[in-house]
Structures are given as structure tokens and as C-alpha cells.
Amino acid sequence: MNWKRIWEVTKNGFVAILHGELLLRMRFDKYFPHIIYTFFLLWMMIWLSMKIENTMVKVEKNKTTLNDMKIYHAQKTVEVVSLDRITTVEDMLEKIGSDVELPVKPADRIMK
């Protein structure tokens, strides 16, 4: 083991780091397009993950809203069905003081 050589390489590496030349000394400049391409792909992956997460949050909110609307729809359907009964209509007409009443005899058909 040559300690002098190890010390020299370590010292040169530290000086290269301080001067910002370490990557150039290691000849990473020829891989620069590949590094940029990899960085771009990683950035796109992170961006798409964020978009997917936002979409999933919206989907969950919409599911909650849809469930609330289903409950509301069921309640309104029950109300409308209850208004369809003749007795309910009679009671409502009496409350507003209308002269309209249920027919006593069936309607006559006019034949041509």
C-alpha cells in the first residue's frame, strides 16, 4: 500500500470538490445529455404522481358528494310519492281553503 499515493489522490479529490471540478475530472461531461434526460424523466414522474394524487382527491370528494346526493334523492322521492296520495292532496287543499273537492261520480266519456 502506497500511503503517499492515497493521500495525494484524496487531496486532489478534495481540492477538485472545492473548485467544482470533480465531475469534469471524472469525465462526467460526456454523460451530461444522459443526466439531463434522466433528470427530465424523474421530474415528469414526480409531476405525474402529483397530478394523479390531485385527481384521486377530487374523485374521493365527488364520491362523498354523490353519496350525499343519493340520500337527498331518496328523501325527495319519498316526499313526492307521499304527495301522490289522494288523502294527502285533500288535506293540502283543505289547508289552503280551496273549493276543489274529489269528484263524487266517475267522469263521463264523450263518444263520437
Side-chain angles (χ1 to χ4, degrees):
M1 244 187 206
N2 190 354
W3 291 105
K4 188 174 183 177
R5 178 75 178 137
I6 293 173
W7 171 251
E8 217 173 280
V9 169
T10 306
K11 185 179 101 178
N12 285 339
F14 185 70
V15 169
I17 289 172
L18 290 178
H19 288 262
E21 299 172 349
L22 180 66
L23 295 177
L24 291 175
R25 285 189 183 180
M26 296 176 74
R27 297 294 298 155
F28 275 111
D29 55 338
K30 62 183 173 183
Y31 300 113
F32 187 70
H34 299 95
I35 293 170
I36 293 296
Y37 180 68
T38 304
F39 172 76
F40 176 73
L41 289 178
L42 289 173
W43 181 79
M44 287 297 294
M45 186 178 72
I46 292 169
W47 183 72
L48 287 174
S49 296
M50 290 175 59
K51 285 297 203 182
I52 290 170
E53 187 67 29
N54 286 340
T55 304
M56 293 306 292
V57 167
K58 287 180 186 177
V59 165
E60 291 300 320
K61 281 183 182 177
N62 288 341
K63 278 184 182 178
T64 305
T65 305
L66 186 60
N67 287 335
D68 292 344
M69 289 295 124
K70 284 180 181 179
I71 293 169
Y72 179 75
H73 178 262
Q75 291 171 344
K76 288 299 175 183
T77 303
V78 167
E79 288 178 18
V80 169
V81 167
S82 69
L83 290 176
D84 196 32
R85 296 185 184 134
I86 293 176
T87 55
T88 308
V89 174
E90 271 184 332
D91 292 340
M92 290 172 62
L93 288 172
E94 285 177 12
K95 284 181 186 176
I96 62 171
S98 177
D99 294 335
V100 179
E101 294 178 354
L102 286 175
V104 180
K105 65 175 190 152
D108 292 331
R109 286 194 173 180
I110 301 174
M111 301 292 249
K112 286 188 178 184

